[in-house]
Amino acid sequence: MPSITKTMFASAADVEAAFYDALALGDIEAMMAVWAEDEEIVCVHPGGTRLFGYMAIRESWVRIFSSQRLKVHHTLQGHHNEQLSAVHYVLEEISVDGEAAAAPVMATNVYIRSALGWRMLLHHASAAPPDALAGNLQVLH
Amino acid sequence: MPSITKTMFASAADVEAAFYDALALGDIEAMMAVWAEDEEIVCVHPGGTRLFGYMAIRESWVRIFSSQRLKVHHTLQGHHNEQLSAVHYVLEEISVDGEAAAAPVMATNVYIRSALGWRMLLHHASAAPPDALAGNLQVLH
């Protein structure tokens, strides 16, 4: 009989590591295991619309994993921790099918702690300008 | 003698209202009054880099307010509330100098509650695809 136990993540950092591992492996079950179950989860892929809820988010990852192989080098640039929630600011340097993306991606990841341990509530990722590392500003709010 | 008392916001929703009021008025003091003071605050303008800290964020708003007049119609699409923090998902329909932007902007706003009341910790705004309202997905993570 297969085990149906779910991973319990002990910290926001553990969820984050599992998220990027799942992304690198293109593993849809591992990817969906990091998300909160009893909350409305939200995901914005770079250039994409805002997706609400498990089904829409799962479908988006299935589509991404079926069409390309991603390699993501991620760096935590800052964070804010509360007892029951955490916000992480991550810089993602992405290669798609071996080709480096033109610009890094800035992700805001929000985690919450529930009876099931820590889980991801939000992933909001958007492309930085190509000269992002030079610190240029763009004026349109 | 001028008053130096700061506004105390009673809820995340109050901070959000003040944020969009300040944006509409181009009022830099009102804008900076909504941000948390004793935390590292973070702001991503659409198409811009991620800004960390009070000085960088203030400078960006000074630049924005000095160069253009923004009109923003904002709609709360979802939220997650904790006792000491809240995440709001806002859709912004923006006009710049009377011209409607090509696409709406999706903002993730994070608020925290401190001894000073509720304040903004994060504003992460990124442009939705022009066909965002049709619900299309974009495959690059």
Side-chain angles (χ1 to χ4, degrees):
Chain A
M1 189 174 147
S3 165
I4 54 162
T5 54
K6 285 270 188 158
T7 310
M8 287 278 284
F9 297 106
S11 69
D14 286 355
V15 186
E16 191 151 278
F19 172 84
Y20 287 104
D21 283 351
L23 219 167
L25 293 168
D27 181 333
I28 187 65
E29 300 310 328
M31 168 55 73
M32 295 316 297
V34 308
W35 292 87
E37 286 195 336
D38 49 357
E39 299 288 343
E40 184 156 67
I41 55 179
V42 175
C43 184
V44 180
H45 298 291
T49 60
R50 182 153 46 197
L51 306 173
F52 290 92
Y54 186 91
M55 289 309 295
I57 293 172
R58 184 185 173 96
E59 186 193 330
S60 72
W61 287 113
V62 166
R63 193 186 297 211
I64 289 167
F65 292 163
S66 70
S67 65
Q68 56 202 356
R69 187 64 181 251
L70 298 172
K71 197 172 159 191
V72 179
H73 178 74
H74 67 284
T75 310
L76 185 62
Q77 295 193 304
H79 60 92
H80 173 86
N81 295 325
E82 302 270 351
Q83 207 176 350
L84 298 177
S85 65
V87 186
H88 284 203
Y89 308 112
V90 177
L91 191 73
E92 303 177 351
E93 292 163 272
I94 303 181
S95 309
V96 183
D97 299 330
E99 194 86 19
V105 162
M106 302 168 300
T108 296
N109 295 330
V110 176
Y111 305 97
I112 54 168
R113 185 182 171 187
S114 72
L116 296 167
W118 285 87
R119 293 291 184 88
M120 180 173 269
L121 179 74
L122 161 78
H123 175 69
H124 183 164
S126 61
D131 57 354
L133 300 178
N136 282 11
L137 293 178
Q138 206 269 9
V139 291
L140 171 62
H141 164 67
Chain B
M1 189 175 147
S3 166
I4 54 162
T5 55
K6 286 272 187 154
T7 311
M8 287 278 286
F9 297 106
S11 69
D14 287 354
V15 186
E16 192 150 278
F19 173 83
Y20 287 105
D21 284 351
L23 218 167
L25 293 168
D27 182 332
I28 186 67
E29 301 309 327
M31 168 54 74
M32 295 316 297
V34 308
W35 292 87
E37 286 195 335
D38 51 354
E39 299 286 345
E40 185 157 64
I41 54 179
V42 175
C43 184
V44 180
H45 297 291
T49 60
R50 182 152 47 196
L51 306 174
F52 290 93
Y54 186 91
M55 290 308 296
I57 293 172
R58 183 185 175 96
E59 187 193 331
S60 73
W61 287 112
V62 166
R63 195 187 295 211
I64 289 167
F65 292 163
S66 70
S67 65
Q68 56 202 356
R69 187 64 183 250
L70 298 172
K71 196 171 159 191
V72 179
H73 178 75
H74 67 283
T75 310
L76 185 62
Q77 296 193 304
H79 60 93
H80 173 86
N81 293 326
E82 303 271 351
Q83 206 176 349
L84 299 177
S85 66
V87 187
H88 284 203
Y89 307 113
V90 177
L91 191 74
E92 303 177 351
E93 292 163 271
I94 302 181
S95 308
V96 182
D97 299 331
E99 192 87 19
V105 162
M106 303 169 299
T108 297
N109 295 331
V110 176
Y111 304 96
I112 54 169
R113 185 182 172 186
S114 72
L116 296 167
W118 285 87
R119 294 288 183 89
M120 179 173 270
L121 179 74
L122 161 79
H123 176 67
H124 183 164
S126 62
D131 57 353
L133 300 177
N136 282 12
L137 293 179
Q138 204 270 7
V139 290
L140 170 62
H141 162 66

